[in-house]
Amino acid sequence: MPSKELANGMPAEVVMETSYVQNEETHHHVFEEKGRVIYMNNSYYIRYEENYPNEPAVPVTVKINPDGVVNLIRRGENKTRLTFSSDEITETQYKTPMGIMPIHIETQSLKISYYDRPFAGRIAVNYKLHFNGEVLGSYQIRLRFTT
């Protein structure tokens, strides 16, 4: 799958859908954006910006590691870095106005698939976030990209 074109990056259509339940409320967001897919150091990087009305765009990078671990990095007002691994519970530091909170990420399912001609992929992640032994919420991410 990796090719010389992807080493330099290729334009891509990116669709990111997120759903989550917090405090018994369900939220759903869909972003359809133009982005880039890059293959570098044996990993795929999907980069795009989430656009919100009346707010600055938020740069997002999704890294697909060769071992199947996925990193999601959002560089908005608060930088967020989530690591999804089928094999272990991971941890991140979440910055809030009240200080830094250690958040644990429990990946319940993680599926990655690729397609040729045109090169495309899908990522599906279901996970829970925990803080101090309490579940903060249940989340789903569905990412699709097509070059």
Side-chain angles (χ1 to χ4, degrees):
M1 276 177 281
S3 66
K4 291 179 182 176
E5 294 89 21
L6 283 177
N8 296 321
M10 289 186 70
E13 295 291 327
V14 178
V15 178
M16 171 69 93
E17 292 185 58
T18 59
S19 299
Y20 58 96
V21 178
Q22 282 181 327
N23 302 323
E24 299 180 25
E25 287 186 27
T26 301
H27 303 269
H28 184 81
H29 301 282
V30 178
F31 297 94
E32 295 183 30
E33 308 288 351
K34 298 204 178 299
R36 291 190 75 70
V37 177
I38 301 159
Y39 184 77
M40 182 172 55
N41 299 327
N42 297 319
S43 296
Y44 289 100
Y45 294 82
I46 298 95
R47 293 187 175 138
Y48 69 97
E49 289 186 342
E50 292 178 348
N51 291 293
Y52 298 89
N54 305 316
E55 293 184 32
V58 175
V60 177
T61 301
V62 177
K63 179 183 178 189
I64 307 170
N65 296 284
D67 60 0
V69 171
V70 173
N71 300 105
L72 172 66
I73 303 152
R74 280 193 170 93
R75 291 182 178 87
E77 188 174 312
N78 292 321
K79 184 177 177 182
T80 307
R81 182 185 180 99
L82 303 176
T83 300
F84 304 109
S85 172
S86 298
D87 299 331
E88 63 183 343
I89 293 177
T90 59
E91 186 177 313
T92 190
Q93 304 296 319
Y94 189 70
K95 294 178 186 168
T96 70
M98 297 180 297
I100 296 174
M101 297 171 42
I103 303 289
H104 293 89
I105 305 156
E106 176 191 353
T107 305
Q108 298 171 300
S109 68
L110 174 60
K111 296 178 184 159
I112 304 167
S113 53
Y114 299 106
Y115 307 91
D116 287 326
R117 296 188 185 100
F119 180 66
R122 292 178 184 238
I123 300 171
V125 185
N126 294 344
Y127 65 101
K128 289 185 178 180
L129 295 180
H130 300 263
F131 174 68
N132 277 348
E134 303 272 327
V135 175
L136 295 177
S138 298
Y139 303 79
Q140 289 185 335
I141 293 174
R142 301 295 182 261
L143 173 75
R144 298 186 312 272
F145 65 90
T146 305
T147 58

